[in-house]
Amino acid sequence: MPSNDVLLKEAESVASTNPKRAEEIYKQILSSSASTSSGPPSTGERDQALRDQEAAMIKLAELHRDQKNAKGLAEVITVSRSFMSSTAKAKTAKLIRTLLNYFNGIPNSRQVQIDVLMDNIDWSNREKRIFLKHSLEIRLVALQLEALQYKAALARIDALLTELKKLDDKMILTEVHLLESRVYRGIGNFTKAKAALTSARTAANSIYCPPHLQAALDLQSGILHAEDKDYNTAYSYFFETFENMNAQDDPGALNALKYMLLCKVMLNLPEDVTALLSVKLATKYAQLREIESMRAIAIAHQNRNLAEFEKVLRDYKDELSSDQTIRSHLAALYDTLLQQNLLRIVEPYSIVEIDYVAKQVGQSRQDVEAKLSQMILDEVFHGVLDQGRGCLLVYDQPEVDNTYGAAIDTLGQVSKVVDSLYAKVCLPRYASTSEF
């Protein structure tokens, strides 16, 4: 029977041409190594068998990754537990993280990852590998957040925080509080999102915070400030994040740059977008489609052109709709732009047909009616919708009549005069009474 080294070389040589054969060889090595390690061989042979098993396991996982086979990769992780039970806890954690990272190259594998993580969390709990369990749970919460499973993520976070506070592990505590902030932000509870972020920063201040974690904290701070319409502060946080991530060649730097451009647009400074993209740090991202989409948004906003804005949203749908932060702020920007266009159209008239207004802005009559009603209620302009005739009656800005206010002020002054006269009349009477 050929040695494991020969089998490994053979499997590597046929992996690209005959992946089925390579898979069989790797499984053969795993089974033979397992039988060898359970017999009475020497320590050196047993160590070599474990190394061969580890190599075969990694190669088999890479093979499934290259074939985009998520279920096959999940099976490798499950089968590897018998091997991991005989290794050090630190090495086990590293191997599992390595195998789980292979899922990143497989599209549409999120649910398989969630299932694998939950299975391995149960195994870690049975084996009493607490730190591995916490690491896997953090990864699971991040996936549940991506899958919009907020309720499950919060339940997992609550359990994690209870355990971590007993251990007083500040690093993991920072990561969990940051995830908690992101989950609360996802469900729209910004008060709790800010509280969780404050807890994360408090925990981070008592330890050395790695650059990638500090960048994640700054990014979340910027997002929450942007939700409060404080775009200047948000921009400063996004800039810090961009510099930090760019220095580490982190792909997340692209998102930070997109948020910086978004802040400029929301601050009504679309002309600054071009200047920002000419900065040395941003030049390597300037030609990417994600950045082109933000540049197109800035141009449409600068031109106050609703049709152009809608065209950009259609042309760059994937780039602009996939991010919750950009999607929500662009929706508010679109609403503002629609309001400005409606005002520009109706202000010259005292009466105008709703159909004409809808045609000018390129929207349906129902949407235009709803928006005009909202603008009237918000007192953006004064008017009445005559739905019977299908018209909008626009009134001039009413002049403020201060007659009532002036009358009240006059009565107040008269009251003071009467009080003063009454006091003067009463004073001699009191004086004469005191003489007796």
Side-chain angles (χ1 to χ4, degrees), residues 280-341:
K280 184 179 179 181
L281 289 177
T283 49
K284 69 177 181 180
Y285 302 98
Q287 302 305 318
L288 296 178
R289 187 170 171 82
E290 287 83 354
I291 302 302
E292 287 291 342
S293 67
M294 296 307 299
R295 184 188 284 118
I297 285 289
I299 293 171
H301 180 58
Q302 189 172 11
N303 297 335
R304 298 285 189 260
N305 191 322
L306 194 63
E308 186 180 349
F309 193 91
E310 290 178 332
K311 184 177 183 299
V312 173
L313 292 179
R314 289 194 302 269
D315 292 345
Y316 296 95
K317 183 178 179 180
D318 293 338
E319 290 78 12
L320 298 175
S321 300
S322 58
D323 190 302
Q324 181 185 359
T325 301
I326 290 179
R327 186 172 63 248
S328 63
H329 288 287
L330 288 186
L333 185 64
Y334 176 82
D335 194 61
T336 302
L337 199 56
L338 175 60
Q339 180 172 302
Q340 292 173 347
N341 275 262

Side-chain angles (χ1 to χ4, degrees), residues 14 40 73 77 115 130 181 186 194 196 199 217 227 234 270 289 291 297 304 340 345 423 430:
V14 301
L73 181 55
I77 296 175
D115 295 339
I130 303 302
S181 177
K194 292 174 187 175
S199 299
L217 290 169
E227 293 291 350
R289 187 170 171 82
I291 302 302
I297 285 289
R304 298 285 189 260
Q340 292 173 347
I345 292 168
Y430 293 141

Side-chain angles (χ1 to χ4, degrees), residues 170-190:
K170 299 293 186 184
M171 182 70 71
I172 299 181
L173 201 59
T174 302
E175 294 181 23
V176 175
H177 277 306
L178 178 59
L179 282 171
E180 183 184 22
S181 177
R182 292 174 59 196
V183 172
Y184 276 124
R185 186 253 171 179
I187 62 178
N189 192 334
F190 297 112

Side-chain angles (χ1 to χ4, degrees), residues 371-417:
K371 185 59 183 174
L372 288 172
S373 298
Q374 181 187 342
M375 291 168 67
I376 292 171
L377 291 172
D378 292 341
E379 297 185 355
V380 176
F381 71 95
H382 296 271
V384 172
L385 280 171
D386 188 342
Q387 292 182 323
R389 293 191 298 167
C391 296
L392 171 68
L393 308 179
V394 184
Y395 302 141
D396 293 333
Q397 185 77 17
E399 295 181 4
V400 178
D401 188 353
N402 201 30
T403 304
Y404 294 109
I408 290 172
D409 290 341
T410 302
L411 290 172
Q413 296 299 326
V414 170
S415 177
K416 290 179 182 178
V417 171

Side-chain angles (χ1 to χ4, degrees), residues 102-284:
Y102 289 154
F103 278 110
N104 297 336
I106 303 176
N108 303 319
S109 62
R110 184 187 295 146
Q111 190 55 49
V112 177
Q113 288 186 67
I114 290 175
D115 295 339
V116 169
L117 281 168
M118 293 183 75
D119 191 27
N120 279 277
I121 287 169
D122 292 338
W123 174 76
S124 302
N125 198 29
R126 291 195 302 270
E127 294 286 322
K128 305 214 181 316
R129 303 194 178 206
I130 303 302
F131 290 102
L132 174 60
K133 173 177 172 286
H134 291 162
S135 175
L136 294 176
E137 284 184 314
I138 290 173
R139 194 173 189 127
L140 175 60
V141 169
L143 283 173
Q144 289 173 331
L145 176 61
E146 289 178 12
L148 308 182
Q149 299 175 6
Y150 299 125
K151 188 175 180 180
L154 282 176
R156 183 74 62 173
I157 286 171
D158 289 341
L160 253 176
L161 289 174
T162 303
E163 294 180 22
L164 291 173
K165 285 173 182 176
K166 295 176 184 177
L167 298 174
D168 198 31
D169 190 329
K170 299 293 186 184
M171 182 70 71
I172 299 181
L173 201 59
T174 302
E175 294 181 23
V176 175
H177 277 306
L178 178 59
L179 282 171
E180 183 184 22
S181 177
R182 292 174 59 196
V183 172
Y184 276 124
R185 186 253 171 179
I187 62 178
N189 192 334
F190 297 112
T191 302
K192 288 191 175 182
K194 292 174 187 175
L197 182 61
T198 302
S199 299
R201 286 197 172 277
T202 302
N205 286 339
S206 60
I207 57 169
Y208 166 72
C209 192
H212 72 277
L213 185 55
Q214 184 61 53
L217 290 169
D218 289 338
L219 184 66
Q220 183 67 6
S221 296
I223 289 172
L224 293 180
H225 278 286
E227 293 291 350
D228 286 340
K229 313 298 182 188
D230 184 3
Y231 295 110
N232 283 313
T233 307
Y235 178 85
S236 65
Y237 276 115
F238 292 142
F239 185 73
E240 290 290 334
T241 304
F242 175 66
E243 280 192 323
N244 196 333
M245 290 184 169
N246 186 67
Q248 303 173 64
D249 291 326
D250 191 322
L254 178 60
N255 276 338
L257 180 57
K258 285 172 66 178
Y259 294 157
M260 289 165 62
L261 300 177
L262 177 67
C263 287
K264 288 296 184 184
V265 174
M266 299 304 294
L267 285 167
N268 289 322
L269 297 172
E271 62 278 1
D272 287 1
V273 168
T274 304
L276 182 58
L277 291 175
S278 63
V279 176
K280 184 179 179 181
L281 289 177
T283 49
K284 69 177 181 180

